[in-house]
Amino acid sequence: MANTQYSSTSSSCYWTGKNPLRPGNYSQKSLLWWLFLYRCINAAVIYSYHHQDEDWQSTEVAHNKIFGYGYLTWEWNEENSIRSFVHPSVFGAFYAILKAFSLDTPWLVAKGPRFIQAFLSAVTDLHIAKIANMLYGESVGYLTLIFHLASWWAYYCLIRTYS
């Protein structure tokens, strides 16, 4: 029978023998869901706005295209069109689903895009760790993920809906 005693000198979990915090001990899908949960909490606790372009260059444009009203800045009119609709279309698809199922409540319209951005941020988190892992090994990939998740700047800015 395996020894199930917890050793304070070991960094492994006593019931599996693996370090539960090391990304290599999770499947990519499982790690992505943990990162998504972290970023959802991140999106829920940040109530401020960093810059007006969070709305004017993404969610306001998508809202205008789906619901037919809302202000568009000069970059979006037909004669001066200098911006791409690729990033706002992500939120536009979300708004179209809300509209189609009559779920377009003010709260979901206002806060929903941050949770979409939370998913995109979780994908970013995962791939930052994967790239560091590929280039420098598992230990550096693990530390890169930890430092990235602990970064105040990343916590404050990655869930923003900038285009």
Side-chain angles (χ1 to χ4, degrees):
M1 181 172 185
N3 183 2
T4 57
Q5 289 287 337
Y6 178 74
S7 168
S8 62
T9 60
S10 170
S11 63
S12 64
C13 180
Y14 73 93
W15 64 86
T16 64
K18 294 181 178 180
N19 182 344
L21 299 177
R22 187 168 293 281
N25 292 335
Y26 293 99
S27 69
Q28 284 186 25
K29 189 176 180 182
S30 175
L31 182 58
L32 180 62
W33 283 111
W34 281 109
L35 292 169
F36 179 54
L37 176 65
Y38 175 76
R39 290 298 176 194
C40 282
I41 293 167
N42 182 187
V45 300
I46 300 286
Y47 284 101
S48 64
Y49 283 90
H50 184 61
H51 194 271
Q52 62 271 18
D53 280 352
E54 286 181 62
D55 290 322
W56 298 119
Q57 304 304 332
S58 59
T59 56
E60 190 70 19
V61 175
H63 187 277
N64 180 280
K65 294 298 178 195
I66 301 302
F67 296 108
Y69 66 94
Y71 183 76
L72 293 180
T73 57
W74 66 271
E75 297 107 330
W76 300 99
N77 67 29
E78 291 184 25
E79 61 226 23
N80 295 326
S81 185
I82 63 169
R83 295 226 180 226
S84 169
F85 283 98
V86 173
H87 188 254
S89 68
V90 172
F91 305 120
F94 173 71
Y95 287 156
I97 292 168
L98 291 180
K99 185 178 178 183
F101 292 103
S102 298
L103 297 172
D104 50 346
T105 65
W107 190 89
L108 273 176
V109 169
K111 301 296 181 192
R114 283 212 175 169
F115 291 96
I116 292 170
Q117 199 66 32
F119 178 75
L120 296 175
S121 298
V123 171
T124 300
D125 297 338
L126 177 67
H127 284 87
I128 284 173
K130 284 177 64 174
I131 290 169
N133 189 12
M134 265 189 335
L135 294 175
Y136 304 108
E138 184 181 329
S139 295
V140 173
Y142 169 66
L143 288 173
T144 300
L145 180 61
I146 296 299
F147 290 145
H148 177 67
L149 294 177
S151 166
W152 176 87
W153 181 88
Y155 194 80
Y156 186 74
C157 292
L158 280 182
I159 53 110
R160 307 289 179 177
T161 57
Y162 291 115
S163 91

